[in-house]
């Protein structure tokens, strides 16, 4: 049934997509009227960050290779201070959600424009959502100041992404699209993007896993991540993301892997209450049970399928359930402590997802 009443805000950003797109980075910085770009990346991406800084020449203010998962507040504070010391007037965030999240943390404080150069499929570059972790709790919010001004999607930069990380990063992207399909502020536009994003990503990931050097498969996955990230930027997240924020912020579980594990169980929880979303996912995945199909696909690609594998203790189930139910996000199915405890226990043990009682 066509949704006939909705609102949709197009986010004001510029996108360049294609092999070699990163070569246009100096032009993008000049277009912003900026002249001193601080390059942000994780320690593991330092080499890529330094290569990009070298290519910027006199437009580079330096490299800060300190991005970490979930953007710890102390890392954000140091990056903000360093940007001010160096006189940076923009940031270039190279990498995944950690680097882009750090760029957003600087933008939130100093209003510096961010140019994002994604090398994973996280999708953060498509949103005005920021996140900071302090005292074991991850806070998130939306602010137009943190939305990247330009995004450069270059599939060649994803060729070095390890297969395991590629798979979990892809599932992270799929989670954005899944929740967009039953978000309270969804629209026909976001639903189209979400269905296509899920289809494209789940078709691309087996090809990427078979040959990480397959540039066409990498480009398809990056295209899918763009769509899924755009869904995240245009809608409100629900139970899946709330659970992952709690697990990541409190237990410091790996971000993309946590999304990969939780997704089939959160979808199983919500499928009966979101029949239109389930129908779209059935089409995208060519399966009558989208949650089980995603669980099977993760296993076939060697991805983790239990929170226990990621380091969560069984004793963490009750505290996480309480944290989520005490401050729930909008969700199609009622969020109850007993229901969350069952969901988390199943996800912790890695048993096949099945409908909640």
């Amino acid at each position: 049934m066509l949704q006939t009443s909705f609102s949709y805000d197009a986010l004001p950003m510029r996108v360049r997509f294609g092999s070699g797109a990163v070569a246009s980075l100096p032009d993008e910085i000049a277009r912003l009227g900026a002249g001193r770009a601080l390059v942000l990346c994780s320690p593991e991406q330092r080499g890529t960050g330094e290569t990009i800084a070298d290519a910027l020449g006199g437009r580079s203010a330096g490299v800060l290779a300190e991005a970490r998962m979930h953007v710890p507040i102390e890392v954000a504070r140091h990056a903000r201070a360093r940007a001010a010391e160096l006189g940076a007037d923009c940031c270039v965030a190279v990498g995944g959600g950690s680097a882009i999240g750090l760029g957003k943390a600087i933008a939130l404080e100093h209003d510096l424009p961010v140019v994002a150069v994604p090398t994973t499929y996280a999708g953060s570059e498509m949103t005005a959502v920021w996140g900071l972790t302090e005292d074991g709790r991850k806070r998130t919010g939306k602010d137009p100041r943190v939305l990247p001004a330009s995004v450069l999607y270059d599939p060649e930069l994803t060729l070095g992404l390890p297969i395991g990380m590629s798979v979990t990063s892809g599932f992270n992207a799929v989670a954005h699209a899944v929740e967009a399909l039953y978000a309270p502020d969804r629209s026909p536009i976001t639903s189209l993007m979400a269905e296509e994003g899920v289809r494209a990503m789940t078709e691309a990931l087996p090809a990427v896993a078979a040959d990480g050097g397959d540039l066409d498969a990498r480009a398809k996955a990056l295209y899918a991540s763009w769509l899924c990230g755009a869904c995240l930027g245009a809608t409100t997240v629900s139970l899946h993301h709330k659970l992952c924020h709690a697990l990541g912020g409190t237990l410091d579980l790996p971000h993309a892997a946590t999304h990969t594990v939780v997704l089939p169980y959160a979808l199983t929880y919500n499928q009966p209450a979101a029949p239109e979303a389930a129908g779209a996912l059935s089409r995208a995945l060519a399966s009558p049970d989208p949650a089980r199909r995603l669980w099977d696909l993760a296993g076939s690609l060697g991805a983790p399928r239990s929170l226990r594998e990621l380091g969560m203790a069984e004793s963490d189930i009750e505290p996480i359930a309480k944290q989520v139910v005490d401050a729930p996000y909008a969700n199609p199915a009622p969020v109850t402590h007993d229901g969350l405890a069952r969901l988390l226990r199943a996800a912790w043990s890695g048993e096949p997802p099945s409908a909640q009682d």
Side-chain angles (χ1 to χ4, degrees):
M1 181 182 296
L2 177 65
Q3 185 181 350
T4 57
S5 179
F6 61 91
S7 63
Y8 174 74
D9 292 329
L11 298 180
M13 65 167 58
R14 173 179 166 85
V15 174
R16 298 186 72 152
F17 189 105
S19 294
V22 73
S24 66
L25 182 56
D27 293 338
E28 293 301 308
I29 291 173
R31 181 175 169 272
L32 294 174
R36 288 186 60 77
L38 177 61
V39 179
L40 306 170
C41 60
S42 67
E44 296 79 13
Q45 291 264 28
R46 178 182 288 276
T48 302
E50 290 178 346
T51 298
I52 286 177
D54 289 343
L56 289 175
R59 291 188 181 274
S60 171
V63 177
L64 186 66
E66 297 181 7
R68 285 178 51 196
M69 286 190 308
H70 310 301
V71 195
I73 189 65
E74 60 273 15
V75 174
R77 286 170 178 157
H78 179 257
R80 290 164 173 170
R82 189 66 179 143
E85 290 169 7
L86 293 171
D89 57 8
C90 75
C91 293
V92 174
V94 183
S98 299
I100 294 166
L102 188 56
K104 290 178 174 183
I106 295 172
L108 196 62
E109 176 104 349
H110 295 318
D111 282 336
L112 298 190
V114 176
V115 177
V117 185
T119 63
T120 74
Y121 311 129
S124 176
E125 68 280 355
M126 282 288 116
T127 82
V129 177
W130 56 266
L132 293 168
T133 300
E134 185 173 12
D135 297 328
R137 293 292 179 100
K138 185 170 184 177
R139 295 183 296 113
T140 63
K142 281 190 175 183
D143 193 306
R145 292 177 298 168
V146 310
L147 182 72
S150 294
V151 180
L152 304 182
Y153 285 112
D154 190 333
E156 293 181 14
L157 296 181
T158 67
L159 291 173
L161 187 65
I163 297 301
M165 291 178 63
S166 298
V167 170
T168 56
S169 184
F171 271 86
N172 183 14
V174 169
H176 305 330
V178 167
E179 291 219 307
L181 284 166
Y182 52 67
D185 50 357
R186 67 190 178 278
S187 74
I189 307 306
T190 56
S191 294
L192 282 169
M193 290 192 293
E195 185 173 337
E196 170 65 2
V198 172
R199 183 200 64 78
M201 185 63 80
T202 54
E203 288 181 359
L205 287 180
V208 169
D211 178 7
D214 184 337
L215 191 59
D216 288 340
R218 290 289 190 178
K220 190 173 190 177
L222 203 56
Y223 155 75
S225 75
W226 175 4
L227 292 176
C228 294
C231 291
L232 177 66
T235 58
T236 302
V237 295
S238 300
L239 176 62
H240 169 88
H241 281 80
K242 178 65 178 183
L243 281 166
C244 291
H245 291 163
L247 291 163
T250 302
L251 306 180
D252 200 31
L253 300 189
H255 182 79
T258 300
H259 278 274
T260 303
V261 171
V262 169
L263 177 58
Y265 300 97
L267 181 53
T268 294
Y269 191 99
N270 279 322
Q271 271 179 177
E276 289 186 13
L281 291 169
S282 291
R283 292 191 297 271
L285 296 166
S287 170
D289 186 349
R292 182 58 185 260
R293 171 62 184 138
L294 289 171
W295 188 82
D296 288 339
L297 180 62
S300 72
L301 298 178
R305 291 199 295 189
S306 76
L307 293 173
R308 177 168 49 186
E309 291 175 68
L310 305 184
M312 180 182 180
E314 188 173 11
S315 59
D316 292 323
I317 291 173
E318 287 295 323
I320 293 294
K322 182 178 187 306
Q323 182 183 146
V324 172
V325 82
D326 283 349
Y329 292 171
N331 196 65
V335 177
T336 67
H337 185 277
D338 288 347
L340 290 186
R342 287 196 298 271
L343 184 164
L344 284 165
R345 191 165 299 280
W348 178 80
S349 66
E351 65 188 59
S354 58
Q356 301 284 310
D357 297 329

